[in-house]
Amino acid sequence: QIYTMNADGSDPTRVTFNAAIDSASSWSSTVARIAFQSFRDGNWEIYTMDAGPSSKQTRLTSNDFSDESPTWSPDGARIAFHSNRDGNWEVYTMNADGSNETRLRPGDSDYVPSYSPAWSPGASRILFQTYSGGWEIYAMDTDGSNLNRLTFNEYFDESPAWSADGARIAFHTDRDGNFEIYVMNANGSGQTRLTFNETADKNPAWSP
């Protein structure tokens, strides 16, 4: 289920109530809206809701495949997600009301599967991870054009996240034998390791 709480961990509040799994919640930056994925329909679909336990929940996607990992654009107008509805995992966008679902990259042997979209602060670019001999991080324009590969190795480079000014990208990688947090410039240069320990450090998120 989806819960909310204050930033200090106080006042945890359950906001979804059903017998299936609700997960991968994402806040809208402009209004008090939450996007999430739910298995209540027998497969993963994307929903939105107002923040609150009695708010109306609206299903945005409807197909026999999996639509997962919704993330809001900075202006709250669109949602990016990944789906296997066309036979392989690809990145899609749609309007906040579920209209205009658009596949950003055609499936081909060089750039599939693709997961974990992340909007740039200006909503002009989208980061994602895809398999190119190893899991690598790419960036593209929000129409799927202007593709740029940012990492080059045979390991797992995953979970990219833009800094608030769009100048840097954080991600996790196992290139050093276990998962550590790295940062790099937006063009892929200057890749720098930030964490150093024997356990897994994953899924970085920037402060505003």
Side-chain angles (χ1 to χ4, degrees), residues 85-186:
R85 65 181 68 182
D86 292 310
N88 52 269
W89 293 99
E90 297 286 351
V91 173
Y92 290 72
T93 59
M94 61 183 168
N95 295 333
D97 63 0
S99 62
N100 194 31
E101 295 182 10
T102 303
R103 179 178 175 178
L104 297 189
R105 283 199 54 78
D108 57 62
S109 59
D110 292 328
Y111 299 109
V112 293
S114 300
Y115 297 100
S116 303
W119 296 87
S120 68
S124 62
R125 300 276 283 168
I126 292 177
L127 293 169
F128 64 101
Q129 65 189 57
T130 194
Y131 192 80
S132 297
W135 285 102
E136 307 292 356
I137 295 171
Y138 285 72
M140 62 183 167
D141 291 346
T142 55
D143 62 0
S145 65
N146 195 20
L147 183 72
N148 297 110
R149 180 174 174 175
L150 303 181
T151 62
F152 296 81
N153 61 76
E154 298 178 354
Y155 297 95
F156 287 75
D157 297 330
E158 300 175 312
S159 191
W162 293 96
S163 63
D165 61 3
R168 291 183 295 168
I169 296 165
F171 62 101
H172 68 239
T173 178
D174 67 343
R175 65 183 67 175
D176 301 302
N178 61 288
F179 283 104
E180 303 285 357
I181 304 298
Y182 274 66
V183 293
M184 61 182 168
N185 296 325

Side-chain angles (χ1 to χ4, degrees), residues 37-83:
Q37 65 187 46
S38 178
F39 206 76
R40 66 187 68 180
D41 306 298
N43 60 291
W44 292 110
E45 302 287 357
I46 294 172
Y47 281 71
T48 58
M49 61 183 295
D50 294 329
S54 61
S55 66
K56 179 182 178 181
Q57 297 173 19
T58 302
R59 179 175 171 178
L60 299 187
T61 60
S62 182
N63 60 75
D64 293 330
F65 298 92
S66 293
D67 300 322
E68 302 179 6
S69 297
T71 179
W72 292 90
S73 63
D75 59 5
R78 289 180 292 170
I79 295 171
F81 61 101
H82 61 244
S83 176

Side-chain angles (χ1 to χ4, degrees), residues 21-40:
I21 298 173
D22 297 330
S23 63
S25 54
S26 172
W27 285 97
S28 167
S29 61
T30 55
V31 294
R33 298 281 290 168
I34 298 172
F36 63 99
Q37 65 187 46
S38 178
F39 206 76
R40 66 187 68 180

